[in-house]
Amino acid sequence: MHSLNLGILAHVDAGKTSLTERLLHSAGVIDEIGSVDDGNTRTDTLALERRRGITIKSAVVSFPLDGVTVNLIDTPGHPDFIAEVERVLGVLDGAVLVVSAVEGVQAQTRVLMRTLQRLRIPTLLFVNKIDRRGAGYEKVLRSISARLTPAIVPMGTATGLGTRAARFTPGAAAAAALDVLAEHDDTLLSAYVEDTVTDALLRTSLADRTREALVHPVYFGSAVTGAGVDALLRGVEELLPAAGGDADGPVSGTVFKVERGPAGEKVAYARMFSGTLRTRDRVPFGADGTEGRVTAISAFGHGTDTRGDVVRAGQIARLWGLGDIRIGDALGEPRKAYEHFFAPPTLETVVVPGPGVHRGALHLALAQLAEQDPLIGLRHDEPRQETSVSLYGEVQKEVVQATLAEEYGLDVTFRETTPLCVERLLGTGQAVEFNKKGANPFLATVGLRVEPAPAGSGVRFRLEVELGSMPYAFFKAVEDTLRETLGQGLHGWRIPDCVVTMTHSGYSPRQSHAHQGFDKSMSSTGADFRGLTPLVLVAALRQAGTRVHEPVHRFRVEAPADTLGALLPVLAGLGAVPETTRNRDDTCVLEGTVPAAEVHALGQRLPGLTRGEGELESAFAHYAPVAHGTVPERPRTDHNPLNRKEYLLNVARRVGG
């Protein structure tokens, strides 16, 4: 039986989880449809999800569809949990993007559609809630065409909008379909010119162009009443591609979710792209090719996952036994590098333990949460005994707080959320310290030159010395240490982009006495290079100079035109810079940039300024130099190579010991 791995995506509250329930019911997997309001849906299994009525973690369910097993992945709709969506996108064969017939295209809808198009994931659109008061048909289609993509094919008509009797009648308008498809299909265009277009040719073209992600069929319906859902299921079966992959080929898969089992064991959710994996097989995974033995397999099919001995290409399964597995790891042969489709978190907050909370237990709990969500970056400040987490927004912070309380029994609060800045080099700097000369206590020679690099290029390490001039392990120690040290620049922020060149190298060869062992006091070790590198690097950074840059979001505000006068002063007060203003009927569309630290405040104030009609869309754009106020400093968590005396007290004695 073929598989189809299908993602359900939407803006929050568009009815995505309700649609999942309806699809499972229509496919005969469940007898009774769960309700988000009642907290009894199949995919929102966390107590917190059921209480808040939102999806926080992606969940997998499955159902049979005429010879195809559809693995349905329900994803969060709230932008604070975009990392969950990101991990799912890389394992999909197709997607259904849900749009509300009442609210229409919303901010997150646009973000998701842009990403689906960029990744060329075949996507159907389902306009939900046609039974709700205020539901539209032509208005929603115009909005989709203008704000998402003009390459849409309405697959029928909706009647009785805004009532429980609302219905969807399948039947794509031939003229509308022909106009859209002919732009992407030369064969169909030729048939149109020759007046030989047939219904069969149209259907074939629609299926082919949909699978190529060039056009997007649009269905209308209601997850509550079931209207239009059968037509959507036929579209899933006929228009989306089944999972490919050779079950006899080399093992290749991707881990997109990791959770903890009842006994605390790691359970990995993996999509297999090639090959066959069996219980007791040893499989390499991760960047370093660590091997682990699969102790149990539970493959998805017939509603849920069931224990078995094998998972084949195209399937999704839960795997036990891979203790060091991480989200994004490749199983077997890497298919491609794990990509980030969305910007990383731009906010950070310090977790404050409540009365009676042991800091060690808190750190362990946060580490386990970070396993399930790698973009929740942890930063432990040992001198201050503080742990910071990086986040997308305030809702995510509330969820972390509730999860720690409910799953780990840990009561915590948070300090004020602050932006995650970076440092960029102002110029070029270099420094060198020689073995056994001056104040250098380490048996090593290290010379480094640092130079600016374009944003997004990362850290590059180069050599101006011969690779054979000293053991490779010493070069590796220098590179690993400098990359770690660049995590905290002169102001404590990460330096993400630069070129570091090693200009000098030297070491003391291995010395030993007759009938005695290796003499560490006379011979260089990796610890010497790890100890000296931060001092040399910081000296080079000081000569180059750095400047702190803060994260900036690009925003788009759509609001009634007569509220613009009240909106502009507030934007200015938040440090926003409007760049373009367009009027469309009685609506004003304002676009520009705003500091990431002010996005939450803007979202809170917008309803009051726009009579509740304003809509905000924002996404990370770039880092910009901090232009006003004091330069933000971030407390260091290392041995502080900025203070040589303090650093040597903490490090040098370990080298000699």
Side-chain angles (χ1 to χ4, degrees), residues 421-469:
C421 300
V422 299
E423 291 182 50
R424 298 204 184 281
L425 296 182
L426 294 173
T428 298
Q430 57 186 9
V432 61
E433 295 209 23
F434 294 98
N435 185 2
K436 301 178 183 177
K437 291 186 179 180
N440 178 11
F442 301 103
L443 297 179
T445 294
V446 174
L448 298 173
R449 183 174 64 249
V450 295
E451 301 168 88
S457 61
V459 175
R460 286 178 289 163
F461 179 60
R462 302 190 306 198
L463 296 177
E464 276 187 3
V465 294
E466 291 290 336
L467 186 59
S469 61

Side-chain angles (χ1 to χ4, degrees), residues 38-215:
D38 296 338
N40 58 355
T41 61
R42 288 289 295 269
T43 52
D44 286 347
T45 56
L46 299 177
L48 186 58
E49 291 177 312
R50 291 179 169 177
R51 191 171 66 251
R52 294 186 68 112
I54 62 172
T55 301
I56 296 170
K57 296 291 184 183
S58 59
V60 184
V61 291
S62 65
F63 60 86
L65 186 63
D66 291 340
V68 177
T69 296
V70 178
N71 294 318
L72 195 63
I73 309 178
D74 185 16
T75 62
H78 198 285
D80 278 13
F81 307 107
I82 197 68
E84 279 289 318
V85 180
E86 175 179 83
R87 293 189 283 275
V88 168
L89 291 175
V91 303
L92 296 182
D93 302 305
V96 173
L97 181 62
V98 184
V99 179
S100 169
V102 180
E103 288 82 11
V105 174
Q106 295 168 280
Q108 187 74 350
T109 321
R110 286 164 52 87
V111 172
L112 293 169
M113 188 63 179
R114 283 198 299 265
T115 307
L116 289 166
Q117 289 178 308
R118 179 157 54 90
L119 299 175
R120 302 293 297 272
I121 295 175
T123 302
L124 310 181
L125 298 175
F126 183 76
V127 181
N128 191 26
K129 301 185 180 181
I130 63 171
D131 58 318
R132 297 284 183 89
R133 181 180 300 176
Y137 179 77
E138 294 290 350
K139 177 182 70 174
V140 175
L141 284 176
R142 286 195 301 270
S143 178
I144 291 172
S145 179
R147 301 185 63 190
L148 294 184
T149 172
I152 57 173
V153 177
M155 298 300 291
T157 57
T159 56
L161 295 173
T163 70
R164 295 283 293 187
R167 291 289 180 267
F168 177 71
T169 304
L178 181 59
D179 287 345
V180 173
L181 291 170
E183 291 185 23
H184 305 279
D185 190 328
D186 292 340
T187 302
L188 185 63
L189 181 60
S190 298
Y192 173 70
V193 171
E194 297 167 4
D195 197 24
T196 58
V197 176
T198 63
D199 287 343
L201 183 60
L202 269 178
R203 286 195 300 271
T204 300
S205 178
L206 177 62
D208 291 344
R209 302 296 84 78
T210 300
R211 289 168 184 159
E212 294 171 359
L214 294 174
V215 301

Side-chain angles (χ1 to χ4, degrees), residues 22 24 86 111 117 149 161 298 330 332 354 378 390 447 454 493 518 563 613 643:
R22 175 61 68 174
L24 292 175
E86 175 179 83
V111 172
Q117 289 178 308
T149 172
L161 295 173
S298 189
L378 292 185
S390 53
W493 303 102
F518 168 52
T563 65
E613 299 178 45
N643 185 323

